[in-house]
């Protein structure tokens, strides 16, 4: 089978479960009619921002309640996402802890909470579903955790905007906007990296997690001369000396937080990226077989490191393997990885490099293979439920807590390796119980997230027909066995043979909790 072959309805649902967040009613039928190539063309042509979705985000009213101090009146109101409209400099003070600056913890939480709710709404409502998938992928790849530092939490909306703007563009450009992201520099300590005392934390993760990958590390080698060479003479792997040299190259890449830097001047308190020449190590460096000349122009050494990493074959292999696993499933197919690597290399430096790579990855037969797939993470399962049941969705703060209990707190994975794709964190007894409660609550509108209009349409129909329709909405043709099981259990329990709307909602929750819905 090839991607050019006709697509049946079951296959269309499977494609939309992997390359999107599930099918809204009618979307799988449309994909089956037009074909995968036309769907990819449309998805890759959509803009980074959708005015209709952004308008819905702007209309959210998010509760905030706190007392500013003992004996003071309690503030209790519902606010729109005001911090998302602010500049990085305006949000920065919410993350600072310094004498004389008294800010309630609930106010400091706002950027992270507002961004989380906006992200959940985008996942469910955006037409550009493939871009949303890639935004999720890059957030995992360039992970930062809000718990690390209040200034990281305040910088999350800026970090998110950088990712969204470059999610389908040039990887080299994305690599630099991440290397200059205040959230990243603070999370991995590069904001304090100085000549004479470079901090290796960001440099090591830049090589190991963001570009070349762990498999390209040769810790037993003392220098690059001790590792095999590529045909063009570059080292095929990296060694500890490369990490050290990268750290030196990135000294002075910092965040403007009021620091004094030459005895007479201080950086502004804006929380924006700042390059401080006085903190940079200007002397010669040797990185991945390349000599970096001393006393180069501002940021030239750091940019040379990023150039070398973005163009290295190990980066192509690492990223394409990771993308294949994310979009296609486990185990990532070798043929798809090779196809993606070829597209990645052909598109080096182009503004659509990532888009062309994703197109190559999804244009082969693997996307149609029912044997591939992986467990749906909690946010994925939530979004697929909303889309499948056509819920008029409004994300709420209790929903964030339920997602966290199920194993996925957005922007809250503490280690730098990003939210796992492996099933284990989501299938333990506690996490699985929380997942069941999350999906049942979503179906029932327990947290005020919205009630599907399909319930009223299906009310008073025979329970078996209701179960089949709900399963078809959520799973497509693969929902048949689920519907039979759900209807059988419902009937055996003596439940209403013609369910009322609230009972239809309960049946929907049973369908969402079926094992078949937990994988994509």
């Amino acid at each position: 089978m090839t991607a050019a072959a006709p697509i049946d309805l079951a296959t269309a649902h499977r494609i939309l479960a992997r390359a999107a967040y599930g099918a809204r009613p009618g979307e799988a039928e449309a994909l089956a009619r037009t074909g995968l190539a036309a769907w990819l063309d449309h998805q890759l042509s959509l803009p980074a921002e959708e005015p209709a979705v952004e308008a819905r985000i702007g209309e959210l009213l998010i509760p905030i309640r706190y007392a500013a101090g003992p004996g003071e009146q309690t503030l209790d109101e519902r606010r729109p996402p005001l911090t998302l409209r602010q500049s990085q400099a305006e949000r920065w003070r919410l993350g600072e802890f310094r004498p004389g600056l008294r800010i309630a913890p609930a106010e400091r939480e706002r950027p992270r909470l507002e961004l989380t709710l906006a992200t959940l709404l985008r996942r469910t409502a955006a037409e550009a579903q493939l871009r949303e998938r890639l935004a999720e992928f890059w957030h995992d790849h360039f992970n930062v955790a809000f718990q690390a530092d209040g200034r990281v939490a305040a910088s999350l909306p800026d970090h998110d905007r950088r990712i969204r703007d470059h999610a389908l563009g040039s990887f080299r450009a994305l690599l630099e906007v991440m290397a200059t992201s205040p959230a990243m520099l603070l999370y991995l300590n590069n904001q304090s990296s100085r000549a004479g005392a470079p901090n290796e934390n960001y440099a090591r993760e830049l090589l190991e997690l963001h570009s070349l990958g762990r498999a390209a590390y040769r810790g037993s080698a003392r220098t690059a001369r001790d590792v095999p060479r590529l045909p063009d003479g570059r080292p095929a792997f990296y060694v500890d000396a490369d990490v050290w040299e990268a750290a030196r190259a990135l000294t002075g890449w910092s965040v403007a937080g009021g620091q004094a830097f030459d005895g007479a001047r201080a950086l502004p308190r804006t929380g924006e990226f700042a390059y401080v020449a006085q903190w940079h190590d200007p002397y010669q460096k040797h990185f991945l077989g390349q000599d970096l000349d001393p006393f180069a122009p501002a940021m030239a050494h750091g940019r040379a490191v990023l150039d070398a990493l973005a163009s290295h074959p190990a980066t192509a292999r690492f990223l394409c393997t990771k993308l294949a696993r994310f979009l296609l499933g486990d185990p990532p197919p070798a043929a798809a990885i090779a196809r993606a690597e070829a597209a990645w290399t052909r598109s080096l430096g182009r503004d659509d490099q990532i888009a062309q790579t994703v197109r190559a990855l999804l244009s082969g037969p693997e996307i149609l293979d029912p044997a591939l797939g992986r467990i749906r993470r909690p946010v994925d399962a939530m979004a697929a439920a909303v889309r499948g049941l056509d819920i008029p969705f409004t994300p709420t703060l209790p929903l964030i807590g339920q997602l966290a209990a199920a194993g996925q707190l957005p922007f809250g994975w503490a280690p730098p390796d990003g939210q796992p794709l492996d099933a284990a964190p989501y299938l333990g007894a506690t996490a699985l119980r929380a997942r069941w409660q999350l999906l049942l609550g979503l179906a029932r509108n327990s947290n005020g997230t919205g009630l599907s209009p399909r319930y009223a349409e299906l009310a008073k129909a025979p329970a078996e027909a209701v179960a089949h329709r709900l399963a078809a909405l959520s799973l497509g043709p693969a929902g048949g066995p689920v519907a039979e099981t759900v209807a059988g259990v419902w009937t055996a329990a003596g439940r209403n043979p013609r369910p009322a709307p609230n009972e239809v909602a309960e049946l929907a929750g049973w369908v969402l909790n079926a094992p078949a819905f937990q994988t994509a």
Side-chain angles (χ1 to χ4, degrees), residues 49 83 128 133 136 172-173 208 240 256 297 458 506 514:
E49 188 169 288
T83 67
R133 273 290 191 208
E136 179 186 16
R172 170 62 182 81
E208 180 178 318
D240 287 322
L458 294 170
E506 185 175 352

Side-chain angles (χ1 to χ4, degrees), residues 341-359:
E341 279 190 66
W344 177 282
T345 304
R346 281 196 310 270
S347 304
L348 277 175
R350 285 176 45 174
D351 290 341
D352 63 348
Q353 180 191 14
I354 298 169
Q356 292 303 322
T357 301
V358 169
R359 183 191 293 277

Side-chain angles (χ1 to χ4, degrees), residues 32-67:
R33 284 194 306 272
T34 62
L36 178 57
W39 185 83
L40 284 172
D41 286 344
H42 179 63
Q43 286 290 311
L44 294 175
S45 71
L46 292 169
E49 188 169 288
E50 298 179 32
V53 176
E54 297 309 307
R56 285 185 59 187
I57 291 170
E59 292 167 358
L60 293 174
L61 292 175
I62 307 165
I64 182 167
R65 189 176 190 277
Y66 65 90

Side-chain angles (χ1 to χ4, degrees), residues 68 110 139 202 234 238 245 273 299 306 323 376 425 462 476 481 491 500 507:
R110 292 300 284 191
H139 266 293
Y202 172 62
R234 287 180 293 171
Y238 74 94
E245 295 292 81
F273 172 74
M299 298 176 66
L306 300 181
L323 278 165
R376 275 179 162 148
T491 301
L507 276 166

Side-chain angles (χ1 to χ4, degrees), residues 320-321 323-325 328-329 331-343 357-367 372:
C320 291
T321 301
L323 278 165
R325 187 178 181 217
L328 297 176
I337 295 168
R339 206 167 52 245
E341 279 190 66
T357 301
V358 169
R359 183 191 293 277
L361 196 59
L362 297 179
S363 292
E366 300 85 3
I367 188 67
L372 290 174

